[in-house]
Amino acid sequence: MIELLLPADVSCAATRAETVPEGTLFPEEEALVAKSVAKRRNDFATARACARRAMAGLGLPPVAVLHGHRGRPLWPEGIVGSLTHCNGYRAAALARATDVLSLGIDAEPHDPLPSGVRELVTLPAERERIGPPAPEGTGEIHWDRVLFSAKESVFKTWYPVIGIELDFIQADLTFHRTDGEEGDGDDRLPRGGTAAEGTFTARLLLTDPALPTTLHGQWRIEDGIVATSVLVRPDWKDSDGS
């Protein structure tokens, strides 16, 4: 699914598998999760298996993917990328730094946010735009979860370039649908099991000249998963007035 949200020069790999065969991790990676619980090990390993497939898509040999501050993946020189994992979905997206300055991807279960989280991760204006939480089982889009995922993608795009953490309330997001359902049916999933999808803009309230003040992304809901992406080109200043 994530490959539908990114251009062709980004190599994507995803899986619904919860585990991978023993021996998938490099020794350096094994050391990072040696004392972790099984779920953490599985999330770590399946995401890195996706990363290796994405590397192959760029013609790169498989290498270990270690991590830096806040778990940021450390990619080979000249490569940018992002990882994500949630129950039922893991993915990696990689590109050459000559083509992409930075990118972020995220996947989440299409469920309402836990009680109390919505207020912590949204601005008042965002809550007004997305409306009240949708009850489960009604076929409505859980916009709070889509917004949470989109902000994760924004953070993953921002942090590798700027090196400063971006808080959830330091980006103001607006969503649009591109699946033909915008309007009276704006909050409902399409009938017949088809995907809901669209775009979003993220107006950054903390800015830096290394990135545009507004980031643009895509979102998609399919088979119970929300996926989002953000991408910035190296030449963004040539086409962005921010």
Side-chain angles (χ1 to χ4, degrees), residues 18-19 33 48 114 117 135 141 179 192 196 203-204 206 214 219 235 241:
E18 300 286 334
T19 61
V33 291
R48 276 151 181 79
V117 175
I141 292 176
D179 54 17
R203 182 172 61 89
L204 301 179
L206 177 65
T214 299
W219 61 270
D235 62 349

Side-chain angles (χ1 to χ4, degrees), residues 64-134:
V65 181
L66 306 182
H67 59 66
H69 182 61
R70 294 257 349 229
R72 179 172 72 91
L74 301 178
W75 302 111
E77 185 175 354
I79 299 298
V80 299
S82 183
L83 300 175
T84 187
H85 52 76
C86 70
N87 289 337
Y89 194 80
R90 291 94 160 90
L94 275 68
R96 298 189 182 278
T98 51
D99 298 322
V100 175
L101 174 64
S102 189
L103 66 89
I105 63 170
D106 187 69
E108 303 282 337
H110 183 232
D111 299 322
L113 286 176
S115 177
V117 175
R118 174 187 171 96
E119 287 69 27
L120 294 176
V121 302
T122 59
L123 294 163
E126 293 174 322
R127 293 196 290 274
E128 182 176 348
R129 287 194 291 269
I130 67 176

Side-chain angles (χ1 to χ4, degrees), residues 36-241:
S36 299
V37 299
K39 183 182 185 308
R40 166 62 179 152
R41 287 178 57 85
N42 289 336
D43 289 345
F44 184 93
T46 49
R48 276 151 181 79
C50 289
R52 245 87 78 184
R53 288 166 49 206
M55 290 176 192
L58 293 176
L60 300 173
V63 298
V65 181
L66 306 182
H67 59 66
H69 182 61
R70 294 257 349 229
R72 179 172 72 91
L74 301 178
W75 302 111
E77 185 175 354
I79 299 298
V80 299
S82 183
L83 300 175
T84 187
H85 52 76
C86 70
N87 289 337
Y89 194 80
R90 291 94 160 90
L94 275 68
R96 298 189 182 278
T98 51
D99 298 322
V100 175
L101 174 64
S102 189
L103 66 89
I105 63 170
D106 187 69
E108 303 282 337
H110 183 232
D111 299 322
L113 286 176
S115 177
V117 175
R118 174 187 171 96
E119 287 69 27
L120 294 176
V121 302
T122 59
L123 294 163
E126 293 174 322
R127 293 196 290 274
E128 182 176 348
R129 287 194 291 269
I130 67 176
E136 292 191 72
T138 60
E140 295 186 30
I141 292 176
H142 298 296
W143 285 111
D144 53 353
R145 183 69 75 164
V146 180
L147 186 146
F148 179 86
S149 176
K151 288 197 173 185
E152 285 286 322
S153 288
V154 167
F155 175 84
K156 292 177 181 179
T157 304
W158 160 278
Y159 187 77
V161 178
I162 309 303
I164 300 172
E165 295 187 17
L166 187 71
D167 194 87
F168 279 104
I169 59 173
Q170 290 178 311
D172 185 5
L173 273 60
T174 302
F175 293 88
H176 303 283
R177 294 186 71 166
T178 59
D179 54 17
E181 298 289 336
E182 195 155 31
D184 292 340
D186 195 31
D187 292 329
R188 298 194 64 81
L189 292 168
R191 295 180 180 179
T194 56
E197 60 185 1
T199 62
F200 64 89
T201 57
R203 182 172 61 89
L204 301 179
L205 306 182
L206 177 65
T207 62
D208 187 282
L211 284 175
T213 58
T214 299
L215 302 181
H216 301 275
Q218 297 191 65
W219 61 270
R220 185 177 177 91
I221 303 170
E222 186 176 3
D223 295 332
I225 299 294
V226 177
T228 59
S229 72
V230 174
L231 181 144
V232 179
R233 296 289 188 183
D235 62 349
W236 66 266
K237 290 184 180 180
D238 296 336
S239 57
D240 190 296

